[in-house]
Amino acid sequence: MTTLLVIAKEPRPGRVKTRLTPPFTPRQAASLAEASLADTLDAVAAAPACRRVLVLDGEPGPWLPPGFDVVPQCAGGLDERLAHAFARCAGPALLIGMDTPQVTPELLTVDFTGCDAWFGPAEDGGFWALGLARPDPALLRGVPMSTATTGAVQRDRLVAAGLRVRDLPSLRDVDTAADAHAVAALAPDGRFARLLAGCAGSGRAGGEPAPASGPLPGSRPALAAASRPAGPR
């Protein structure tokens, strides 16, 4: 069975979703990031997996559901951090980010029978998911990240290595306010959509959603430290 990895940043104001400001305040942007992460983790928790790992830059909070190992990200660029996450996996693994709260457990239920890799392109030219039957960090190192051609370069790297690649549906990342509204419309019942509606419904720039440091509506209680095995963003 597959290991499911989520690479994420701790949702703190000024550190995440800075392209949402403006129109949102840094605190609103962090709360939206937290809601996106919580929705993503819920989808991962509901998908079949032999292990679920949060590869985190920062500290876990009350948004973390049970059943996840938390491991620190290594230093370096995103390509190095992704490579390092895969390097810690001994068998098939699928890695996603925290920017697609519309993701479903069904999308994360991949079968490597007859293929070596799964690739999920993002609408902005990047990728939202990468699955490897035999994780090899060299497949990611040196791929230019955060460009309009990142996804194409990464997929070409897989094909050039002789891997049989299957494609997942293209998804839209949440980077800008326009992205946020488009994605919320795809998953209107999620935490992200409900929180975004609260931001938009505040009617004033100072209107704030639930604080990023506190629990979101419907979030699970914080885990005791002992229930979060140490282990990688």
Side-chain angles (χ1 to χ4, degrees):
M1 196 174 288
T2 305
T3 294
L4 294 179
L5 305 158
V6 179
I7 189 162
K9 285 184 179 180
E10 179 186 357
R12 293 172 53 194
R15 294 190 71 246
V16 292
K17 293 296 157 210
T18 55
R19 290 175 62 189
L20 291 177
T21 58
F24 303 106
T25 67
R27 190 176 178 214
Q28 286 176 324
S31 289
L32 288 167
E34 181 178 324
S36 178
L37 178 55
D39 283 343
T40 300
L41 294 176
D42 276 353
V44 172
C50 64
R51 186 184 179 208
R52 297 172 182 85
V53 182
L54 176 62
V55 188
L56 185 63
D57 176 1
E59 297 297 325
W63 37 262
L64 180 67
F68 282 78
D69 295 341
V70 179
V71 297
Q73 293 183 29
C74 72
L78 182 55
D79 62 321
E80 285 291 341
R81 288 177 278 144
L82 295 175
H84 185 255
F86 275 111
R88 304 184 69 130
C89 299
L94 178 72
L95 181 145
I96 66 172
M98 62 183 285
D99 301 333
T100 52
Q102 73 273 40
V103 74
T104 65
E106 291 74 24
L107 284 173
L108 302 178
T109 306
V110 297
D111 183 358
F112 284 96
T113 302
C115 75
D116 306 299
W118 284 91
F119 184 78
E123 292 184 11
D124 63 1
F127 59 94
W128 68 269
L130 179 62
L132 298 173
R134 297 176 182 82
D136 179 359
L139 293 170
L140 293 108
R141 291 192 177 110
V143 172
M145 296 289 162
S146 303
T147 75
T149 60
T150 293
V153 172
Q154 181 62 75
R155 195 183 190 288
D156 287 348
R157 177 78 69 88
L158 303 176
V159 173
L163 304 186
R164 298 165 295 173
V165 183
R166 288 181 181 167
D167 292 307
L168 290 161
S170 178
L171 294 185
R172 185 168 182 169
D173 288 333
V174 175
D175 290 319
T176 66
D179 295 331
H181 287 287
V183 167
L186 298 173
D189 297 325
R191 292 182 180 86
F192 182 81
R194 295 197 302 271
L195 196 63
L196 181 65
C199 292
S202 67
R204 54 191 176 88
E208 296 286 356
S213 59
L216 291 163
S219 63
R220 294 182 174 89
L223 298 179
S227 67
R228 302 191 195 101
R233 182 175 156 159

